[in-house]
């Protein structure tokens, strides 16, 4: 999803006052445990430490009877074959509830079919209630037209600068009504209860991303960063708590993913407050305005360092894991993009429990792969070995892309814990060895399992012995 120079310009004036101290990024992993210093790791029902690596999967073009028709089983088969274990699947409220209180059984069946494909290929799913520029009232997807209230304020399309449409008066007022009108609050929470009630037992389901890239209404005299923090604090935080409470009436176990406004992409710390739920994941997006309009990566701007320093403040304060929900530039073949992918992967590995890139599709632009299924330029750098589930306490996990060596050290769980650690391996030839444990290869699925005795100290080494992923 492209960002615009409008956002970059609007934020620039406030950055000096809001940026956290910078950190230093390197092309190699630091060796920190998943989650980073002071940030908890994501875990599964058996207490294993999870790492998510995957892509967004969606169909914005089709609605009604044709909804989700662009998504096929091939998406999940191909993702898993390249070593990815997670899909953030876009769903749309306007398709789920085309009229107030009338939920589409056909759309729910279509979502279930997508989840079934994911489960068949061992891919976890985060259901994302997606919106762009609010929804159909403004010729996009997301919040239904019947739930869009503008008070008659104007809306002017910007076909060459779609993100700036978020700043149109009608769109901003629509967000205010969504956050403040009691009937719309109830409708949004009920929509999520319908989804959770239908899918909470599905084997592919990991959790729910409550709303994509929430925005809001700026007040006179506010700069964008100040407005974003106020909206996050006063409107988005209460919304997340309302929806979480409604989901928990039917689903006690799935993770709840909460996003700040997309302004965090400029290195602005979020104003989100506490979400009163035991299974919350912070799910920011990782976009740079200049790169989103087709520009090259500029290492001297220190964008990655500033972003990392700012985006880690919230999870450290509220003790929640981080999974970056979207990232990836528009033009990934420019001269500095190889360096960008290496430094971005290093940064994401320092503090996060994983990420889902934008997006798994077959073609140009943001697509991860081309029409033949081969990685597009530099996208192959997103495919590397990793421990998708560790049965114990991770002491260090590090991948060195230059040598193609991944090392994992962990203390195995006690007698009541899981024995099985799972590694994901991208295409290519990999040698897997373990000290203090037994390795079982599953070459057909691109995985390795490590079986350890209770409380054992385990060191796993994965070495590339053949060509890298392509």
């Amino acid at each position: 999803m492209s960002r615009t120079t409008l956002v970059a310009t609007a934020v620039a004036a406030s950055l000096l006052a809001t940026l956290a101290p910078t950190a230093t990024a390197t092309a190699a992993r630091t060796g920190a445990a998943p989650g980073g210093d002071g940030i908890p790791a994501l875990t599964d029902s058996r207490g294993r430490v999870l790492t998510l690596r995957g892509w967004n999967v969606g169909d914005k073009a089709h609605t009604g009877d044709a909804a989700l028709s662009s998504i096929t089983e091939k998406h999940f088969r191909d993702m898993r074959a390249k070593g990815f274990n997670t899909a953030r699947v876009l769903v749309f409220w306007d398709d789920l509830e085309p009229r107030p209180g009338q939920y589409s059984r056909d759309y729910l069946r279509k979502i279930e079919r997508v989840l079934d494909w994911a489960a068949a290929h061992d891919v976890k799913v985060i259901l994302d209630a997606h919106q762009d520029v609010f929804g159909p009232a403004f010729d996009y997807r997301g919040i239904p037209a019947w739930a869009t209230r503008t008070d008659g304020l104007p809306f002017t399309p910007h076909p060459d600068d779609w993100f700036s449409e978020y700043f149109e008066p009608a769109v901003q007022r629509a967000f205010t009504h969504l956050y403040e009108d009691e009937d719309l609050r109830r409708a949004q929470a009920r929509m999520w209860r319908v989804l959770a009630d239908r899918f909470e037992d599905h084997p592919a389901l990991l959790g729910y991303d409550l709303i994509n890239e929430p925005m809001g209404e700026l007040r006179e005299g506010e700069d964008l960063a100040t407005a974003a923090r106020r909206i996050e604090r006063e409107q988005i935080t209460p919304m997340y708590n309302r929806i979480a409470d409604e989901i928990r009436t039917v689903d006690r176990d799935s993770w709840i993913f909460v996003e700040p406004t997309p302004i965090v992409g400029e290195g602005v710390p979020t104003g989100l407050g506490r979400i009163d739920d035991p299974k919350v994941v912070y799910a920011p997006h990782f976009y740079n305005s200049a790169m989103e309009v087709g520009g090259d990566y500029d290492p001297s701007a220190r964008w990655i360092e500033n972003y990392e320093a700012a985006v880690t403040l919230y999870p450290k304060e509220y003790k929640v894991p981080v999974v970056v929900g979207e990232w990836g530039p528009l033009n990934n073949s420019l001269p500095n993009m190889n360096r960008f992918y290496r430094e971005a992967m290093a940064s994401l590995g320092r503090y996060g429990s994983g990420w889902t890139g934008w997006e798994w599709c077959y073609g140009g632009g943001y697509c991860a792969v081309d029409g033949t299924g081969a990685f597009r330029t530099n996208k192959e750098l997103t495919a590397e070995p990793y421990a998708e589930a560790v049965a114990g306490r991770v002491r260090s996990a590090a991948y060195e892309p230059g040598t193609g060596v991944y090392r994992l050290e962990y203390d195995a769980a006690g007698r009541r814990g899981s024995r099985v650690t799972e590694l994901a391996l991208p295409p290519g030839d990999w040698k897997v060895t373990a000290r203090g444990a037994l390795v079982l290869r599953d070459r057909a699925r691109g995985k390795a399992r490590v079986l350890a005795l209770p409380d054992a100290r385990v060191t796993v080494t994965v070495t590339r012995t053949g060509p890298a992923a392509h």
Side-chain angles (χ1 to χ4, degrees), residues 95-251:
D95 262 327
L96 176 62
E97 191 179 2
R99 288 170 295 280
Q102 297 183 22
Y103 301 99
S104 170
R105 294 180 180 178
D106 185 55
Y107 191 58
L108 289 168
R109 284 194 294 268
K110 291 174 184 290
I111 296 172
E112 186 169 25
R113 181 178 62 181
V114 170
L115 287 167
D116 288 346
W117 287 332
H121 296 284
D122 195 21
V123 173
K124 302 176 181 69
V125 168
I126 302 162
L127 288 179
D128 160 45
H130 208 82
Q131 66 80 29
D132 294 315
V133 194
F134 205 76
F138 308 108
D139 203 26
Y140 290 89
R141 305 297 311 283
I143 291 88
W146 58 260
T148 305
R149 296 170 183 166
T150 67
D151 298 338
L153 294 176
F155 171 76
T156 302
H158 299 267
D160 298 325
D161 190 8
W162 74 270
F163 194 74
S164 66
E165 293 176 7
Y166 274 111
F167 302 95
E168 284 293 309
V171 175
Q172 297 211 330
R173 185 59 52 85
F175 275 104
T176 296
H177 282 294
L178 177 68
Y179 300 143
E180 302 298 339
D181 292 7
E182 187 58 36
D183 61 329
L184 295 184
R185 290 178 174 183
R186 289 195 300 268
Q188 186 185 29
R190 282 197 306 266
M191 177 273 293
W192 264 115
R193 178 171 177 165
V194 167
L195 284 171
D197 192 36
R198 178 63 178 263
F199 300 119
E200 55 102 5
D201 285 330
H202 198 285
L205 183 76
L206 178 70
Y208 313 106
D209 190 333
L210 302 188
I211 185 172
N212 178 68
E213 298 187 346
M215 293 286 279
E217 188 169 6
L218 278 68
R219 293 174 179 169
E220 186 175 355
E222 279 186 324
D223 61 52
L224 187 53
T226 300
R229 289 196 299 270
R230 173 186 55 79
I231 292 163
E232 290 162 340
R233 181 178 63 253
E234 297 179 5
Q235 295 177 315
I236 296 175
T237 299
M239 175 185 67
Y240 286 154
N241 277 299
R242 288 192 300 272
I243 298 173
D245 288 346
E246 191 73 14
I247 287 173
R248 293 309 182 206
T249 65
V250 294
D251 183 348

Side-chain angles (χ1 to χ4, degrees), residues 152-390:
L153 294 176
F155 171 76
T156 302
H158 299 267
D160 298 325
D161 190 8
W162 74 270
F163 194 74
S164 66
E165 293 176 7
Y166 274 111
F167 302 95
E168 284 293 309
V171 175
Q172 297 211 330
R173 185 59 52 85
F175 275 104
T176 296
H177 282 294
L178 177 68
Y179 300 143
E180 302 298 339
D181 292 7
E182 187 58 36
D183 61 329
L184 295 184
R185 290 178 174 183
R186 289 195 300 268
Q188 186 185 29
R190 282 197 306 266
M191 177 273 293
W192 264 115
R193 178 171 177 165
V194 167
L195 284 171
D197 192 36
R198 178 63 178 263
F199 300 119
E200 55 102 5
D201 285 330
H202 198 285
L205 183 76
L206 178 70
Y208 313 106
D209 190 333
L210 302 188
I211 185 172
N212 178 68
E213 298 187 346
M215 293 286 279
E217 188 169 6
L218 278 68
R219 293 174 179 169
E220 186 175 355
E222 279 186 324
D223 61 52
L224 187 53
T226 300
R229 289 196 299 270
R230 173 186 55 79
I231 292 163
E232 290 162 340
R233 181 178 63 253
E234 297 179 5
Q235 295 177 315
I236 296 175
T237 299
M239 175 185 67
Y240 286 154
N241 277 299
R242 288 192 300 272
I243 298 173
D245 288 346
E246 191 73 14
I247 287 173
R248 293 309 182 206
T249 65
V250 294
D251 183 348
R252 306 299 301 180
D253 299 321
S254 300
W255 288 92
I256 288 177
F257 292 71
V258 298
E259 299 186 32
T261 64
I263 311 308
V264 298
E266 299 300 327
V268 178
T270 184
L272 276 180
R274 181 179 301 279
I275 312 303
D276 294 319
D277 190 274
K279 298 194 72 173
V280 169
V281 180
Y282 184 52
H285 292 179
F286 179 38
Y287 288 119
N288 172 266
S289 295
M291 292 163 62
E292 292 308 296
V293 293
D296 201 357
Y297 174 53
D298 178 8
S300 67
R302 300 183 63 80
W303 167 60
I304 290 178
E305 295 90 336
N306 289 332
Y307 176 89
E308 181 177 331
V311 83
T312 53
L313 296 177
Y314 181 87
K316 287 180 179 178
E317 179 178 359
Y318 292 104
K319 304 302 179 187
V320 297
V322 182
V323 173
V324 169
E326 292 184 21
W327 72 285
L330 175 61
N331 187 346
N332 52 279
S333 61
L334 293 171
N336 289 334
M337 285 301 173
N338 186 277
R339 178 172 177 178
F340 165 73
Y341 275 100
R342 292 181 183 276
E343 294 187 354
M345 288 290 289
S347 177
L348 291 165
R350 276 193 289 273
Y351 62 83
S353 285
W355 49 262
T356 50
W358 190 267
E359 65 178 313
W360 193 270
C361 53
Y362 301 85
Y366 290 97
C367 290
V369 293
D370 63 21
T372 71
F375 277 120
R376 298 182 62 240
T377 305
N378 290 315
K379 296 282 190 180
E380 73 280 359
L381 296 174
T382 64
E384 60 184 35
Y386 61 98
E388 54 181 296
V390 178

